[in-house]
């Protein structure tokens, strides 16, 4: 099975767990035992979900560090899980070139997110890659940006909300199920 398909299946699992406020690993174990109507999860999908679960705090901290104005908790559910997969591949999976991780994330975003998501995801992942490749310069940039972002972070009244997403009132619009 192609890795693109495995990423999509991993996204489905991460998305579902995130929406249910369930741990990624507990839902993963359920899906491994009982795949339901779908075919069993590909090995690479299982590796992604386990990797995101294992490195979740570091991944979310990295996203928070490089995102301006949108912390992980405020991102659309599908976007944050696309980003989690890509950051795991960029930082913790040496088999996947950074460019491939970004391209795959953009492909998922173009089909599953709203029109603004691909640009947001591309910019954020590019910043993560730059920080990985230039850690000293990136740390200085983050310090400068954090001083400026305190005043520029959108207030709750500025948030884009999806009226149909009652479970997560601070989500961006056009969250579609990642089936």
């Amino acid at each position: 099975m192609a890795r693109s398909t495995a990423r999509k299946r991993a996204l489905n699992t991460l998305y579902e767990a995130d929406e249910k406020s369930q741990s990624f690993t507990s839902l993963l174990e359920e899906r491994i035992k009982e795949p339901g109507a779908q075919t069993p999860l590909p090995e690479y999908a299982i590796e992604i979900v386990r990797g995101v679960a294992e490195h979740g705090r570091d991944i979310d901290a990295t996203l928070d560090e490089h995102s301006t104005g949108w912390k992980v908790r405020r991102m659309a559910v599908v976007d944050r899980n696309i980003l989690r997969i890509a950051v795991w591949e960029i930082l913790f999976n040496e088999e996947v070139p950074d460019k491939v991780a970004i391209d795959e994330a953009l492909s998922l975003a173009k089909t599953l997110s709203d029109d603004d998501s691909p640009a947001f995801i591309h910019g954020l992942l590019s910043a993560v890659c730059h920080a990985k490749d230039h850690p000293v310069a990136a740390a200085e940039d983050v310090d400068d940006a954090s001083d400026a972002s305190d005043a520029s972070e959108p207030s709750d009244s500025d948030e884009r909300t999806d009226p149909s997403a009652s479970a997560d009132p601070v989500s961006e619009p056009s969250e579609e199920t990642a089936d």
Side-chain angles (χ1 to χ4, degrees):
M1 182 175 286
R3 281 192 167 185
S4 295
T5 302
R7 284 181 188 90
K8 174 84 165 60
R9 296 287 304 277
L11 177 60
N12 292 345
T13 304
L14 294 170
Y15 179 91
E16 181 181 353
D18 204 353
E19 278 290 302
K20 291 179 171 180
S21 298
Q22 183 176 357
S23 81
F24 296 143
T25 52
S26 70
L27 184 63
L28 175 63
E29 295 308 317
E30 287 177 26
R31 293 296 169 261
I32 291 170
K33 286 179 186 175
E34 305 250 350
Q38 295 187 6
T39 59
L41 284 172
E43 280 303 312
Y44 190 59
I46 294 168
E47 183 180 349
I48 291 170
V49 174
R50 285 186 176 145
V52 169
E54 179 181 345
H55 299 286
R57 284 196 171 112
D58 292 332
I59 291 168
D60 285 357
T62 298
L63 290 169
D64 279 343
E65 179 180 326
H66 296 289
S67 176
T68 54
W70 291 99
K71 297 302 180 191
V72 172
R73 65 179 164 67
R74 295 180 59 207
M75 294 175 191
V77 177
V78 71
D79 291 352
R80 75 173 157 240
N81 287 297
I82 290 171
L83 286 162
R84 286 170 171 157
I85 290 168
V87 171
W88 175 77
E89 287 185 320
I90 291 166
L91 298 180
F92 301 103
N93 186 349
E94 294 178 9
E95 295 176 13
V96 178
D98 296 350
K99 182 174 177 7
V100 171
I102 292 172
D103 288 347
E104 291 290 327
L106 293 175
S107 177
L108 288 168
K110 287 175 184 174
T111 59
L112 300 171
S113 294
D114 69 21
D115 293 339
D116 296 331
S117 292
F120 172 72
I121 287 170
H122 186 266
L124 186 46
L125 294 177
S126 294
V128 169
C129 287
H130 179 76
K132 175 184 148 189
D133 295 337
H134 305 92
V136 173
E140 292 170 0
D141 292 344
V142 168
D143 288 342
D144 294 342
S146 67
D147 293 339
S149 71
D150 291 338
S152 66
E153 186 166 330
S155 68
D156 288 342
S157 63
D158 293 337
E159 292 178 28
R160 299 180 326 188
T161 59
D162 180 357
S164 66
S166 59
D168 187 5
V170 293
S171 296
E172 293 183 26
S174 298
E175 291 181 18
E176 298 176 19
T177 55
D179 291 335

